[in-house]
Amino acid sequence: MPRFLPPIVADFQRDFDELFDELLIGRWRTPAAESDPAMVLEHENAYEVRLCTGAFKPSELEVVVNEKNLTVRATHADNPWKRQLNFADPVQTEKVSAKWANRILTIVLPKKNTRPRKERK
C-alpha cells in the first residue's frame, strides 16, 4: 500500500537523499586540513614533509615557507584547503624543493644550522 507523506516531509526526504548521494558520488572528496594524511620526517640536515593532497592538482597548490613555518594551500571553487606546519629549527627558504606524484606532495626543507646536537645524559 503506498503511503502518503506530507509535502514538508517529502521535501526533507528528497533533500536528505540528494545530500547522501553527493557524499557517495564523491563531490566532497577533497581533503579536510585537519584530517588529511601527513608525515614529517626530521633528518640531520633537513625536514621532509609528505602531504596527501587528495583531488587537488599541482597547479592548484601553493607552498609558502618562512624560517620556521610551512603553509600549503589549495583553492578550489567548492572547497578551500590549507595545512600549516611549524618546525623547531629554521630552514633555508631559498633551497626548499617540492615534487608531486600520485597525489602526494613531498617538500624538502634544508635546515639553516646543521650543527650536531649535544646528546643528553
Side-chain angles (χ1 to χ4, degrees), residues 4-73:
F4 173 76
L5 295 174
I8 193 164
V9 174
D11 290 344
F12 175 77
Q13 183 178 8
R14 184 190 66 246
D15 291 343
F16 187 78
D17 287 344
E18 287 175 8
L19 174 65
F20 192 71
D21 288 345
E22 284 183 19
L23 290 171
L24 287 178
I25 292 170
R27 293 183 192 159
W28 295 356
R29 286 197 182 168
T30 52
E34 299 81 32
S35 63
D36 62 316
M39 179 186 299
V40 179
L41 303 170
E42 184 175 2
H43 303 290
E44 184 177 334
N45 298 326
Y47 292 103
E48 182 179 347
V49 177
R50 296 178 191 166
L51 287 171
C52 177
T53 59
F56 292 114
K57 299 173 187 154
S59 60
E60 297 175 302
L61 299 172
E62 175 188 13
V63 177
V64 178
V65 180
N66 68 32
E67 219 173 63
K68 288 190 172 187
N69 302 306
L70 167 69
T71 303
V72 180
R73 289 186 195 104

Side-chain angles (χ1 to χ4, degrees), residues 74-87:
T75 357
H76 193 273
D78 299 326
N79 190 11
W81 176 84
K82 181 165 107 174
R83 185 68 187 257
Q84 292 182 298
L85 298 167
N86 300 314
F87 305 105

